[in-house]
Amino acid sequence: MQPEPRHVRPAGDTGPGTGGGGRARRHGALATDSRLGLLATLRAAGRPLDARELAETTGFAVSTVRFHLDVLVGAGLVSARPEPRSAPGRPRVTYSPVAAGATASDPADDDGGAGYEHEQLLFVLAENLAATPAERARIARQAGQAWASRQVEKPAPAPAEGPDARPGSGPAEQARLVDQTTAIDQAAAVFAELGFDPEVEPADAPGTPGTAGVGRRMLLHSCPFRAVAAVHPDVICSVHAGLLSGLLERLGSPLVPRVVPFVEPDLCIAHLDPPPSAGPAFDSPGADGSIPSGLLPSSIPDLSTPSGSVAGGTGSGGRLVLSIESAAVVRATAPVVAAHSVEITSAFYPRLFTAHPELLRLFNQGNQANGDQRRALAASVVAYATQLIDPQAPSFQPVLERIAHKHASLGVLPEQYTIVGRNLLAAVGDVLGDAVTPEIAAAWDEVYWLFACQLIAEEARVYQRAGVDPRHIWRPWEVIRRTDETPDVISLLLLPADGQPAPPWQAGQYVSVAVDLPDGRRQPRQYTISTAPGRAGMRLTVRRVRGSDGNPDGAVSSFIHDSVDVGTVLDVSQPFGDVVLDDSFDPLLLVSAGIGITPMVAMLDHVTRTRPDRRVVVAHADHSPRSHPVRDEVRMLGRQLRRFEELTWYEQRDEAPGPGVEAGLIDADKLPVPDGVRAYLCGPLPFMRDVRASLLRRGVPAENIRYEVFGPDLWAGQL
């Protein structure tokens, strides 16, 4: 017995497996911001434009523009019109956006230009839905099931037979379990109308278990929310799983869907499994809030961190992968891009600041002057691309989190990634010239937007956890005490000047301080909070940066030393930073050099208040005792611990050596490494590299060694 057709809301004439292709192509065409930007430029122009005009407006190479225009034309979003030739050669072709409400291929089925705005809204909703991946997945699945109620009307339950019959035990329900073809086809019709381009495999297809519709598969060849799903599969894929389960339930089917996203770059699979012999037909969240089994595939990585790719997906073990085509191109061209990476970023920054001088207020111009920023960006992009194509490459996640916290402390906004991407990819074309074919440009565009979307998602989480609006990150703080620590180091104790409570922070975090310099420039810098959470006020310890090797003195540190005193009000961000003290009782090793002692003294201060029984070793290297900041404070705090050891190395000694003090550079092999030790490092990069190498040789696990970088992370990808 076949179930009666249920009342599916009109889905036009689109049938399963065929009708969603046009919409799918349009959604696929809008899967990158490059094409979104071209389409927006055409819509804003008010007249037809040719490829060269678009290249001049967007900053892309002409060949790249033509490549993206071909995709937009093929998707029916843009029309191309050759002009009559007035001379021999290629005729001029102009491009216009297809009017809202019609497309070049199907006037009845268009997004009306709202795709980009809807996608941005989805990103915001996905990022702010809940605090944990499990909770996001649970809420999203419920939303999908509610969405199903707007697509079909639920039938009245069939009466059970016999006084002791259970729901689902009567002959009518058993018949539905045997033959679900109608329900599956009707659910597929809804998915086709929504743009998923579904294909229901026949019951006798190879690898398709079951008969008469039981144990079938629905292949989803397109996703209208692909860009967001790649970054937030816990939300978007759970919505789709909930939608499918809700549709089947309302259509009278007990089949249990399992949605496996991005099996291939353009394919997700919904397995439609028979229900278990007992228990509920659909998974429900566990008591601990865990993600229900079958909701997401086991290959999806830890969903508390961003994962996936705008055009790719997840490979075995959860490693992110590019689309097949782009991966081959990136693998072939990565050595050339890496060899020219600093040259590319050196061309990028002048181009960026010329086009958008307002961004000068966001970037540390000292790091621009000494070249650190362009080298750090080059290292990050190369490291990110490498881990996409090399399964043996180290995880980029620690670097991604570090960048996200730094960006959050500056109020970086999602829309700024479009500006950066446009100028960075144009710089690639400037440096590599005609070698950048449309295929190469598209592949590296995919790399950039995968990187950018992961950062946008991670930064949204950081902003959410901090309770900060990224457009309003600055608060006024007043200096209530200034202390000279050494000839080149001062400490400032701050209190909020707006009368509101101080925000919470964790030992090891930092804030950004923005100052207006005498020449009119506004510049931000990050400074570690050098006191433990819970103290009265927030203390910042600032070293005056002396110019060397032709580089100028630090503009902001010099201004703070020369002009900031008690009563000065500073603009300060919320505390950020991913390198924070763990809350365990494991032995603690704090290793620093120079001003790198600032996060260490905050961690030591916190341990004295919360874990006085914890074993702590503080090892510090400095030029001389006279240049050693907060030395007396470290010793005072150490006396409050039951197991404390201090080791110090000075390049020069201007006083008699004491216990635990040695001359010369630090000898990392002399650092104590008790079982289970957790090490935190802060200082110049060569210093941290040597210390970390020594700890690794002596058996300290890499995951037990954390490091903080002051300035751009030139160590990206080298861990």
Side-chain angles (χ1 to χ4, degrees):
M1 167 177 184
Q2 281 196 340
E4 295 181 4
R6 301 304 175 189
H7 305 290
V8 180
R9 289 197 169 89
D13 295 328
T14 305
T18 58
R23 183 187 293 267
R25 282 192 298 275
R26 286 190 286 283
H27 283 294
L30 296 176
T32 74
D33 272 38
S34 300
R35 290 194 283 272
L36 285 169
L38 284 173
L39 187 58
T41 301
L42 284 170
R43 285 173 172 155
R47 64 178 180 86
L49 300 176
D50 63 21
R52 292 193 177 277
E53 291 173 314
L54 284 164
E56 292 173 359
T57 302
T58 62
F60 297 142
V62 175
S63 59
T64 302
V65 169
R66 288 195 176 109
F67 174 81
H68 289 314
L69 285 171
D70 287 345
V71 176
L72 292 169
V73 170
L77 293 165
V78 168
S79 62
R81 182 175 180 271
E83 293 187 348
R85 283 191 294 184
S86 58
R90 175 189 291 180
R92 178 174 182 259
V93 180
T94 59
Y95 299 86
S96 303
V98 174
T103 70
S105 58
D106 184 355
D109 187 19
D110 182 57
D111 299 329
Y116 178 73
E117 289 79 6
H118 289 170
E119 183 176 284
Q120 298 306 301
L121 176 59
L122 278 174
F123 265 115
V124 173
L125 291 174
E127 289 154 4
N128 293 277
L129 190 61
T132 67
E135 184 67 6
R136 286 196 294 269
R138 184 187 66 79
I139 295 172
R141 187 179 177 96
Q142 289 178 345
Q145 290 172 324
W147 190 10
S149 69
R150 295 176 175 270
Q151 304 296 324
V152 298
E153 297 175 5
K154 189 171 184 178
E161 299 179 6
D164 299 321
R166 295 180 292 106
S169 64
E173 293 299 321
Q174 292 299 320
R176 287 193 182 96
L177 182 59
V178 173
D179 187 354
Q180 299 295 332
T181 300
T182 302
I184 294 173
D185 286 348
Q186 290 179 5
V190 174
F191 268 69
E193 172 64 15
L194 295 172
F196 289 88
D197 195 13
E199 174 191 356
V200 178
E201 288 187 337
D204 57 355
T208 304
T211 59
V214 178
R216 302 275 292 280
R217 299 198 309 177
M218 185 186 298
L219 310 183
L220 305 175
H221 295 286
S222 180
C223 176
F225 314 105
R226 177 179 179 177
V228 190
V231 178
H232 295 288
D234 52 334
V235 174
I236 303 303
C237 299
S238 296
V239 169
H240 298 160
L243 171 63
L244 185 54
S245 69
L247 288 172
L248 292 172
E249 180 186 22
R250 301 182 77 82
L251 291 165
S253 169
L255 294 180
V256 181
R258 265 187 312 120
V259 177
V260 182
F262 301 126
V263 174
E264 296 177 4
D266 295 305
L267 177 65
C268 301
I269 296 179
H271 296 267
L272 308 176
D273 299 326
S277 57
F282 303 104
D283 289 336
S284 59
D288 60 352
S290 59
I291 299 178
S293 61
L295 184 64
L296 292 170
S298 59
S299 62
I300 292 291
D302 177 7
L303 295 175
S304 63
T305 59
S307 60
S309 152
V310 170
T314 54
S316 60
R319 177 170 289 272
L320 307 184
V321 294
L322 290 163
S323 62
I324 296 172
E325 298 84 357
S326 292
V329 173
V330 171
R331 191 173 290 109
T333 56
V336 175
V337 173
H340 293 83
S341 59
V342 175
E343 186 180 355
I344 291 168
T345 56
S346 297
F348 156 70
Y349 282 110
R351 171 186 276 275
L352 176 71
F353 295 141
T354 298
H356 295 275
E358 73 277 6
L359 294 181
L360 287 165
R361 298 160 61 96
L362 196 64
F363 287 85
N364 182 327
Q365 293 306 300
N367 292 332
Q368 293 294 320
N370 62 26
D372 282 353
Q373 186 65 55
R374 59 178 177 265
R375 288 190 292 273
L377 176 60
S380 295
V381 172
V382 170
Y384 186 80
T386 299
Q387 60 92 38
L388 289 176
I389 59 177
D390 180 5
Q392 303 305 315
S395 170
F396 194 77
Q397 187 61 35
V399 180
L400 188 82
E401 293 174 358
R402 184 169 295 115
I403 295 172
H405 276 269
K406 184 68 67 68
H407 285 183
S409 78
L410 296 168
V412 170
L413 301 171
E415 55 264 33
Q416 290 166 335
Y417 283 92
T418 302
I419 297 170
V420 169
R422 181 185 305 131
N423 287 276
L424 182 59
L425 294 169
V428 173
D430 291 342
V431 172
L432 300 182
D434 292 340
V436 183
T437 66
E439 292 77 15
I440 292 174
W444 283 93
D445 179 80
E446 186 176 322
V447 171
Y448 173 77
W449 279 109
L450 197 160
F451 191 8
C453 284
Q454 284 195 267
L455 278 171
I456 290 169
E458 184 66 25
E459 286 157 21
R461 295 184 182 101
V462 172
Y463 286 130
Q464 181 186 26
R465 287 194 294 265
V468 172
D469 179 350
R471 299 181 188 277
H472 303 285
I473 67 166
W474 305 111
R475 283 183 63 186
W477 289 68
E478 183 178 355
V479 179
I480 63 169
R481 189 170 72 226
R482 170 176 168 148
T483 304
D484 293 330
E485 305 286 359
T486 74
D488 277 339
V489 177
I490 62 172
S491 288
L492 304 174
L493 186 62
L494 311 176
L495 285 178
D498 56 8
Q500 299 300 311
W505 68 85
Q506 295 175 273
Q509 290 192 304
Y510 55 81
V511 295
S512 285
V513 176
V515 300
D516 296 308
L517 299 173
D519 61 6
R521 292 181 297 155
R522 183 171 175 84
Q523 279 283 278
R525 295 292 187 274
Q526 288 78 37
Y527 296 108
T528 300
I529 305 170
S530 58
T531 48
R535 296 289 188 188
M538 175 190 292
R539 188 181 69 177
L540 308 181
T541 300
V542 181
R543 177 176 67 93
R544 183 193 291 269
V545 178
R546 302 285 187 182
S548 61
D549 300 326
N551 294 315
D553 291 347
V556 175
S557 66
S558 296
F559 175 83
I560 290 175
H561 273 254
D562 296 339
S563 304
V564 173
D565 211 331
V566 174
T568 301
V569 175
L570 298 171
D571 286 338
V572 180
S573 77
Q574 188 86 355
F576 293 100
D578 64 309
V579 181
V580 297
L581 180 65
D582 70 287
D583 198 31
S584 73
F585 285 95
D586 295 335
L588 185 62
L589 175 62
L590 306 176
V591 188
S592 59
I595 197 62
I597 199 170
T598 51
M600 307 308 171
V601 71
M603 293 181 183
L604 180 62
D605 187 13
H606 189 61
V607 171
T608 62
R609 305 178 70 189
T610 61
R611 296 284 190 269
D613 289 328
R614 189 173 187 179
R615 180 182 177 184
V616 179
V617 176
V618 171
H620 182 72
D622 223 307
H623 184 69
S624 71
R626 188 168 178 263
S627 63
H628 185 162
V630 297
R631 179 177 59 163
D632 293 339
E633 181 176 348
V634 167
R635 292 174 178 172
M636 180 271 293
L637 292 169
R639 286 194 291 270
Q640 301 177 41
L641 297 173
R642 292 178 175 84
R643 294 183 293 172
F644 175 74
E645 183 178 357
E646 183 184 15
L647 303 174
T648 309
W649 283 262
Y650 294 128
E651 294 180 53
Q652 296 180 1
R653 286 209 300 256
D654 48 17
E655 61 184 45
V661 178
E662 296 192 25
L665 302 178
I666 191 170
D667 184 349
D669 290 339
K670 291 185 177 180
L671 298 174
V673 284
D675 290 343
V677 67
R678 294 181 180 270
Y680 292 83
L681 319 179
C682 189
L685 288 173
F687 166 86
M688 292 194 293
R689 189 178 293 115
D690 290 345
V691 172
R692 183 176 184 274
S694 173
L695 296 177
L696 290 173
R697 285 195 307 269
R698 299 165 66 197
V700 179
E703 60 270 21
N704 281 15
I705 306 173
R706 304 293 305 279
Y707 72 94
E708 181 62 275
V709 176
F710 288 171
D713 189 356
L714 300 176
W715 214 353
Q718 299 179 32
L719 296 183

